[in-house]
């Protein structure tokens, strides 16, 4: 069974507004509330493509109850209940673009961290753990190592989609897959990806550090996937972007929905990933994936080596 972990989930509130100003009240419209967090989005997207997963995470307060209730409509949830209130993130779309206001989130005590580790150890069906997103306040980066320790003890794979600087050391634990973007590669690994030669060098560097497979996303410039032997390039979807808040999570999940079952099916996995990410970028939240098949016809995937 595939498990996803969101250590710092959220309720996302997406609204529209006119030009923002401090001179008067800024009215908003079209509010959309969604249970959110990178791991939850991965599970929701996997479910759309018929892949089962179990959601793990820390949840607290009225907003945590909302996330657990709504997520349980889609996937099994095994929550760890914490003190405090699960964060509410605000995304405001204006004529000038999208304003993002993510909150820090509720602290997670050490005893609650250990409770989730024990829950993971007790998961006899654990085959792969997808760890996504930021840590909650007061959580040390060594928690990632503890999660990987459990996976290794149980003979399970793990996938990392995190932007923490500790990723530079975690790749030495040989994750099945990492999904950095261009900014994360530069900030965490100190490598530039301004052109394709840079990208190829960066992918080689990440493999040398220990990553077994790399899905490198470049926003409007598409994505690259490398398995250490071959590299593929995928074009980006040409869409009208409303919000990018969930697009990266959907890209990863839709790629996994094909690739985990068939490691040779890279081209269809990348096609689905880019089409799904593009469709989600058109929506507030994940949307309904209604245009994925249409967008997929415009995606070009090329094997470079």
């Amino acid at each position: 069974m595939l498990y996803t972990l969101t250590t710092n989930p959220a309720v996302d509130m997406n609204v529209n507004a006119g030009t923002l100003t401090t001179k008067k009240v800024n009215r908003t419209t079209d509010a959309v509330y969604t249970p959110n967090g990178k791991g939850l989005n991965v599970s929701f997207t996997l479910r759309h493509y018929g892949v089962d997963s179990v959601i793990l995470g820390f949840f607290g307060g009225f907003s945590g109850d909302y996330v657990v209730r709504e997520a349980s409509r889609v996937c099994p949830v095994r929550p760890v209940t914490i003190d405090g209130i699960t964060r509410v993130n605000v995304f405001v779309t204006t004529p000038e673009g999208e304003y993002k206001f993510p909150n820090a989130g509720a602290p997670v005590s050490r005893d609650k961290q250990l409770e989730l580790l024990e829950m993971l150890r007790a998961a006899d069906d654990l085959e792969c753990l997808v760890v996504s997103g930021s840590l909650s306040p007061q959580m040390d980066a060594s928690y990632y190592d503890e999660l990987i320790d459990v996976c290794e003890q149980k003979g399970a794979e793990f996938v990392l989609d995190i932007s923490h600087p500790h990723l530079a050391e975690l790749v030495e634990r040989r994750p099945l897959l990492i999904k950095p973007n261009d900014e994360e590669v530069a900030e965490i690994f100190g490598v530039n990806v301004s052109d394709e030669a840079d990208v190829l060098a960066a992918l080689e560097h990440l493999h040398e550090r220990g990553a077994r497979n790399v899905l490198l996303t470049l926003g409007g410039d598409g994505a690259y996937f490398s398995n250490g032997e071959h590299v593929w390039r995928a074009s980006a979807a040409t869409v009208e972007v409303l919000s990018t808040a969930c697009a990266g999570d959907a890209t990863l999940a839709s790629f996994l929905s094909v690739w985990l079952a068939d490691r040779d099916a890279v081209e269809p996995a990348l096609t689905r990933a880019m089409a799904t990410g593009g469709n989600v970028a058109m929506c507030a939240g994940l949307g309904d994936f209604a245009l994925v098949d249409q967008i997929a016809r415009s995606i070009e995937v090329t094997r470079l080596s």
Side-chain angles (χ1 to χ4, degrees):
M1 176 65 73
L2 185 64
Y3 282 67
T4 66
L5 172 61
T6 307
T7 65
N8 198 11
V11 176
D12 276 7
M13 182 178 73
N14 288 266
V15 296
N16 294 327
T19 299
L20 298 183
T21 175
T22 60
K23 304 299 183 182
K24 64 177 183 179
V25 173
N26 295 285
R27 303 291 180 183
T28 63
T29 61
D30 305 317
V32 177
Y33 301 90
T34 53
N36 215 300
K38 294 177 73 65
L40 280 89
N41 291 332
V42 169
S43 281
F44 297 158
T45 306
L46 287 169
R47 180 63 264 160
H48 173 76
Y49 289 116
V51 179
D52 294 330
S53 66
V54 176
I55 294 171
L56 301 175
F58 304 102
F59 306 91
F62 74 96
S63 49
D65 291 343
Y66 168 79
V67 174
V68 172
R69 183 180 69 249
E70 295 302 308
S72 297
R73 301 178 191 274
V74 183
C75 301
V77 182
R78 298 184 187 175
V80 173
T81 302
I82 61 171
D83 295 330
I85 298 175
T86 292
R87 61 186 176 150
V88 178
N89 297 329
V90 180
F91 301 89
V92 184
T93 300
T94 74
E96 293 78 31
E98 182 185 35
Y99 291 84
K100 303 177 183 181
F101 300 95
N103 289 304
V108 177
S109 62
R110 181 59 181 164
D111 63 318
K112 294 298 183 179
Q113 297 174 34
L114 295 174
E115 181 179 335
L116 192 141
L117 290 173
E118 287 303 315
M119 185 181 294
L120 197 60
R121 289 190 183 94
D124 293 334
D125 58 348
L126 175 66
E127 297 175 316
C128 182
L129 175 67
V130 180
V131 182
S132 304
S134 61
L135 292 171
S136 295
Q138 300 181 10
M139 293 183 72
D140 189 83
S142 62
Y143 195 66
Y144 290 126
D145 295 280
E146 294 180 290
L147 292 166
I148 293 171
D149 288 342
V150 174
C151 290
E152 291 180 343
Q153 292 162 9
K154 298 180 70 65
E157 303 278 13
F158 60 97
V159 173
L160 300 176
D161 182 16
I162 61 176
S163 56
H164 197 284
H166 191 43
L167 181 60
E169 286 73 45
L170 293 175
V171 291
E172 298 174 5
R173 306 288 298 268
R174 295 187 56 76
L176 174 64
L177 175 72
I178 62 173
K179 192 203 76 66
N181 60 32
D182 49 351
E183 293 180 356
E184 291 162 346
V185 164
E187 294 174 0
I188 298 173
F189 297 98
V191 292
N192 188 29
V193 288
S194 59
D195 58 33
E196 189 160 272
D198 287 341
V199 168
L200 297 177
L203 292 170
E204 183 177 356
H205 176 73
L206 293 172
H207 287 302
E208 289 173 351
R209 295 289 295 268
R212 291 155 58 193
N213 298 276
V214 182
L215 177 59
L216 173 60
T217 56
L218 305 175
D221 292 325
Y224 289 78
F225 174 77
S226 174
N227 61 10
E229 296 181 3
H230 304 292
V231 177
W232 290 260
R233 178 183 62 220
S235 63
T238 303
V239 298
E240 184 175 346
V241 175
L242 175 63
S243 173
T244 60
C246 305
D249 311 328
T251 298
L252 171 61
S254 51
F255 180 86
L256 293 175
S257 72
V258 176
W259 181 76
L260 281 178
D262 183 357
R263 304 292 169 83
D264 293 325
V266 174
E267 293 188 12
L270 279 173
T271 299
R272 176 180 284 182
M274 302 311 291
T276 304
N279 195 175
V280 169
M282 301 169 66
C283 309
L286 283 174
D288 59 7
F289 306 101
L291 299 178
V292 169
D293 290 342
Q294 176 182 327
I295 296 171
R297 292 192 286 271
S298 68
I299 302 299
E300 297 181 1
V301 179
T302 305
R303 199 178 95 172
L304 304 178
S305 65

